[in-house]
Amino acid sequence: MHPFATPLGSRRVIEQIGLDRAGQFGILTNAEPGEALFIALTRLWGLDSLEARNLAGALAEGGPFAHLVRYSHTEPEGKDSGGYSVTVIG
């Protein structure tokens, strides 16, 4: 099983590689869950807003695509408190 698909998997990988390298595969923030999702999406794809057309355009750049987007939320105490995966095909 992929480490990001297990509870606290993302956090364990971040702890192993170090916070200074975590930005190579994700966004780290201390924001509340709703704000953290907005921050992560806009930073990952350089979006001005989260309108569906902006997100779709960023993902579709370069032609046909299929993306698995994994969202994970971990409490500061280390507890995995939520997350989900979205498959985007276009």
Side-chain angles (χ1 to χ4, degrees), residues 18-90:
L19 285 174
D20 57 320
R21 295 176 44 204
Q24 295 174 356
F25 68 88
I27 303 292
L28 299 177
T29 179
N30 288 327
E32 293 297 320
E35 183 67 15
L37 179 60
F38 175 79
I39 290 169
L41 290 175
T42 55
R43 285 188 193 168
L44 280 171
W45 289 296
L47 303 174
D48 295 326
S49 71
L50 286 184
E51 292 178 359
R53 65 184 173 149
N54 291 341
L55 183 56
L59 290 172
E61 190 174 306
F65 66 91
H67 293 283
L68 173 63
V69 182
R70 170 79 180 136
Y71 302 101
S72 168
H73 184 265
T74 305
E75 297 291 336
E77 304 81 34
K79 180 182 175 190
D80 189 11
S81 62
Y84 56 92
S85 298
V86 176
T87 303
V88 182
I89 301 172

